[in-house]
Amino acid sequence: MLAGEHLGLGLALQEQVNYENKCYKTFDGHKDEVNCCTFSLDWEILVTGADDGLVRVFNNLTEKLVCRFKGHQGSIKSVCITADSKYVASASYDKTVIIWNTRNGEIKHVLKGHSKSVEMVCFSHDGSMLCSGGWDHDIILWLVQEGAAKNVLTGHKDLVQCSAFSFDDKLLATGSWDYSVRVWRLSNDVHMPDCIVLNGHKSNVFALCFSKLGMLASGSWDKTVHIWNPVHGTIIHVLNEHTGWVRAVCFTSDGTMLGSVSDDETIKIWDAVSGKCCKTIEGEVEQLQMCSFSIEGSLIVSGALIPIKRKTTMMMDESKPE
């Protein structure tokens, strides 16, 4: 959850691993604390969710509010958008997940199945499935078009905080406050177990991301990032230079670099192959929360800023090669 009443979004345009020249965008709207955000694949759409129970969709290019989605009876905990931007999903404290039509804000499905607050949602890359999880420790795989549960995955012993689909949608990774990462087989590959449990973190697992090279990164409140071989269940690297909780991780589109953000108010850029830290960037927000690389290598970072009229602020950081 973001501290204060603002979501600060930082955009860093990367040519190598050097980040300079900051500017800002501001998004107005929410009347309470902003908890989550996500961008469309083409970066034209920004979706936010807040404690006011509303999902807001902004045009990232014009900085204008496109529409508000109203339907939940509690705080919005997580939002996601399909790769084709057709649907938005939101998870709520009211124990439901809603799939929305992005174009007109109409509700496609209200998904009921969780017995406690839903804390995360994630679309598969092809948009056919949606994963949700929360305080009931269960993971539900939903069929997007039908609005029906395909499978309920059990095994975690605490809050399910995060999830990620592999790029071919054959694997699903989930991270929990039970300190574990679970990798679930979604394909018919009989040579792989139904579930592999990855143990190694010493605190809550808060963030997950797959690379196109097949690696899996996990960020934890134990202040480390682990890079795994998810098929064999082995650790490739343990990245331990952060001094605060790791809130988010992301790979570049080619899978060779990894970004991480932490409560120590730094952003770190890692060589995913060697495990070496290439760059440390001091954050300019109170609490960094999210990071993602664009196809071109731009780095987007979000966090909480000092509250000023409940605005969402984007920082653009244009990189110059050294």
Side-chain angles (χ1 to χ4, degrees):
M1 188 180 297
L2 293 184
E5 296 172 327
H6 293 43
L7 183 64
L9 303 175
L11 173 61
L13 301 180
Q14 177 196 19
E15 293 183 22
Q16 294 183 347
V17 284
N18 180 29
Y19 300 80
E20 304 293 342
N21 304 332
K22 301 171 181 64
C23 61
Y24 292 86
K25 289 183 179 181
T26 299
F27 299 86
D28 298 310
H30 285 295
K31 297 179 180 179
D32 210 332
E33 186 171 329
V34 179
N35 297 322
C36 51
C37 74
T38 191
F39 285 92
S40 61
L41 192 61
D42 59 10
W43 302 103
E44 291 186 4
I45 299 172
L46 168 66
V47 183
T48 61
D51 278 349
D52 59 13
L54 298 179
V55 176
R56 280 176 165 80
V57 178
F58 296 89
N59 184 314
N60 183 37
L61 303 180
T62 65
E63 305 173 35
K64 293 183 178 180
L65 179 68
V66 176
C67 54
R68 303 175 185 87
F69 298 169
K70 185 176 182 180
H72 283 294
Q73 303 301 312
S75 301
I76 309 300
K77 296 296 188 176
S78 178
V79 290
C80 61
I81 187 169
T82 53
D84 61 6
S85 301
K86 188 174 182 179
Y87 300 116
V88 167
S90 54
S92 174
Y93 182 78
D94 67 10
K95 308 175 189 176
T96 70
V97 174
I98 295 180
I99 300 176
W100 313 81
N101 243 301
T102 309
R103 176 178 293 182
N104 54 26
E106 292 183 355
I107 294 175
K108 181 175 178 63
H109 297 297
V110 178
L111 308 178
K112 298 180 180 180
H114 288 286
S115 60
K116 295 182 179 180
S117 174
V118 188
E119 298 291 317
M120 67 83 180
V121 282
C122 179
F123 280 112
S124 61
H125 291 275
D126 66 4
S128 67
M129 293 182 292
L130 178 71
C131 170
S132 63
W135 279 104
D136 61 7
H137 310 171
D138 291 341
I139 301 117
I140 302 180
L141 272 179
W142 306 91
L143 296 173
V144 172
Q145 292 302 322
E146 294 83 349
K150 179 182 180 181
N151 202 357
V152 179
L153 307 175
T154 60
H156 281 299
K157 296 177 173 60
D158 209 325
L159 163 68
V160 182
Q161 181 69 66
C162 53
S163 67
F165 286 89
S166 62
F167 277 84
D168 58 8
D169 290 330
K170 292 182 178 180
L171 299 176
L172 171 68
T174 56
S176 170
W177 284 22
D178 64 11
Y179 305 177
S180 75
V181 175
R182 286 178 176 258
V183 179
W184 310 85
R185 176 173 59 85
L186 304 181
S187 69
N188 295 321
D189 184 0
V190 296
H191 300 292
M192 184 178 176
D194 291 339
C195 179
I196 296 176
V197 181
L198 308 180
N199 292 309
H201 283 296
K202 298 179 181 179
S203 189
N204 304 340
V205 180
F206 205 80
L208 290 168
C209 184
F210 277 98
S211 79
K212 286 185 177 179
L213 299 178
M215 293 184 289
L216 173 67
S218 57
S220 169
W221 288 6
D222 65 9
K223 308 175 186 178
T224 71
V225 176
H226 287 194
I227 299 178
W228 310 82
N229 180 322
V231 175
H232 297 128
T234 54
I235 295 177
I236 300 172
H237 297 296
V238 176
L239 315 179
N240 55 13
E241 294 189 21
H242 280 298
T243 59
W245 294 352
V246 178
R247 294 281 185 171
V249 290
C250 62
F251 282 101
T252 51
S253 58
D254 64 4
T256 61
M257 306 294 289
L258 175 72
S260 61
V261 298
S262 168
D263 278 356
D264 61 16
E265 298 184 4
T266 66
I267 307 152
K268 289 187 181 291
I269 310 298
W270 311 84
D271 184 319
V273 178
S274 69
K276 293 182 179 179
C277 183
C278 304
K279 185 78 174 182
T280 298
I281 307 155
E282 296 295 329
E284 294 193 0
V285 295
E286 291 181 348
Q287 190 178 35
L288 295 167
Q289 290 284 345
M290 165 265 188
C291 64
S292 183
F293 285 100
S294 71
I295 295 175
E296 297 82 9
S298 303
L299 176 61
I300 286 81
V301 178
S302 75
L305 295 175
I306 298 172
I308 304 174
K309 300 179 182 179
R310 301 182 178 94
K311 294 183 179 181
T312 297
T313 303
M314 171 177 286
M315 180 180 70
M316 178 174 286
D317 212 355
E318 295 186 351
S319 305
K320 302 297 181 182
E322 294 179 329

